[in-house]
Amino acid sequence: MRSNGVPIGRAATAALERLGGLALRDHPMESVLQAVADLSKQVMPGESETSVTLLVDDKATTAVYTGRLALDLDESQYGRGYGPCLHAAATGEVTEIADTRTETRWPDYARAAWERGGGSSISVPLHLDERMAGALNVYARAPRAFDDEARAALARFEPYASVALANAHAYRSARDRAGNLQVALESRAVIDQAKGILMERHRLTADQAFQAMATVSMRSNTKVREVADHLVRTGEFPPGVRPEDLRERRRFTGER
């Protein structure tokens, strides 16, 4: 079988040489992952589109894709909770649909795939870790698009996709943790400022000041951080809060 007139094995070797030539320190891992998808698409037959599925805590997302067909068919499986890419990611088995018109394992998905232009597909599991799984997916418009040479060529892309996906996920998780920490620190700072205002203006203790904001938060269905932010910016509680709320808080705590 040939890809763009070049034997698939030779095309795969050339594509892998290009991947191997990427200086990882100069490219974000998501860019490397997209390169894996783009190059595997070029190698595969049947007017193919490629995607990479990431499965974390039973939640599936598409990390990269080369065209709308791949994204649509990925998401069609996610919505159902089953299909070839999810099966490959969850079981570690190479999963192929030779012809969506005759597929019996996931018949409703297969019908939808055919209606959207997918004739066959193959999903290769990615080796990640115990917390997450993945799959490299190829969706061909033609039925029975893949032969042994195509399957072997796709398998050669798996190590590159596994490394890039694992590192991209680790980077994204670290970035999210850093962002959450920053938000938490900013929230604590504005709450402390608001407590200081209340303590000075209404002669409250630190605990009474926080409890007063918590009371306002519950009554107004607003987060404590938002109550504090409004107080710091305007010098006042949100509209509708009465001064008696603070006196009620002092009586509740038994302090003067």
Side-chain angles (χ1 to χ4, degrees), residues 142-182:
R144 303 190 180 279
F146 309 105
D147 61 9
D148 288 342
E149 187 180 19
R151 297 182 193 102
L154 185 62
R156 295 173 65 187
F157 284 90
E158 182 274 326
Y160 290 88
S162 293
V163 170
L165 183 58
N167 281 279
H169 177 71
Y171 170 75
R172 194 178 300 168
S173 297
R175 183 182 60 194
D176 291 345
R177 286 195 298 272
N180 291 338
L181 177 60
Q182 183 63 31

Side-chain angles (χ1 to χ4, degrees), residues 50-98:
T50 303
S51 69
V52 175
T53 292
L54 177 63
L55 186 62
V56 180
D57 297 328
D58 295 325
K59 179 177 179 167
T61 56
T62 297
V64 295
Y65 61 96
T66 61
R68 192 71 207 182
L69 176 66
L71 180 62
D72 284 349
L73 297 191
D74 276 358
E75 292 184 342
S76 178
Q77 295 171 66
Y78 305 159
R80 290 175 167 81
Y82 56 80
C85 79
L86 293 178
H87 184 79
T91 66
E93 300 173 356
V94 175
T95 306
E96 182 175 353
I97 293 181

Side-chain angles (χ1 to χ4, degrees), residues 171-202:
Y171 170 75
R172 194 178 300 168
S173 297
R175 183 182 60 194
D176 291 345
R177 286 195 298 272
N180 291 338
L181 177 60
Q182 183 63 31
V183 169
L185 291 173
E186 291 172 357
S187 296
R188 179 173 178 176
V190 76
I191 289 171
D192 284 345
Q193 285 180 283
K195 282 166 56 179
I197 292 172
L198 293 176
M199 291 166 68
E200 179 180 3
R201 183 180 300 174
H202 299 284

